[in-house]
C-alpha cells in the first residue's frame, strides 16, 4: 500500500513540477510539495477505507 502511494505521489510531484517548468519561469516548490503530501495522505486514507476489516462480528 505504501509503495503504491509513494510512487503515485512521486509521479504527481514530477508531473506538476515539469508542467510548471514548461508553463512559467518559476517553480512553486512549497506548493508542489504540499500537493504531493496531501495526495499521499488522501491515497493512504482511501486505501485504508476500502480495505475490508479483518475483525469478525
Amino acid at each position: 500500500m505504501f509503495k503504491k502511494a509513494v510512487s503515485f505521489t512521486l509521479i504527481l510531484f514530477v508531473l506538476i513540477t515539469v508542467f510548471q517548468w514548461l508553463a512559467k519561469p518559476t517553480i512553486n516548490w512549497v506548493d508542489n510539495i504540499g500537493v504531493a503530501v496531501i495526495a499521499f495522505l488522501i491515497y493512504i486514507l482511501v486505501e485504508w477505507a476500502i480495505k475490508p476489516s479483518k475483525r469478525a462480528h
Side-chain angles (χ1 to χ4, degrees), residues 9-34:
T9 53
L10 281 176
I11 290 170
L12 178 68
F13 176 76
V14 169
L15 287 176
I16 291 172
T17 305
V18 168
F19 178 72
Q20 282 185 357
W21 180 62
L22 292 174
K24 321 185 250 189
T26 60
I27 298 173
N28 299 330
W29 292 104
V30 176
D31 293 342
N32 294 353
I33 293 169

Side-chain angles (χ1 to χ4, degrees), residues 1-3 5-8 12-13 15 21-22 24-29 35 37-38 41-44 55:
M1 176 168 55
F2 284 109
K3 251 185 174 180
V6 169
S7 63
F8 171 74
L12 178 68
F13 176 76
L15 287 176
W21 180 62
L22 292 174
K24 321 185 250 189
T26 60
I27 298 173
N28 299 330
W29 292 104
V35 167
V37 168
I38 290 171
L41 293 174
I42 290 173
Y43 188 92
I44 293 295
R55 201 163 99 192

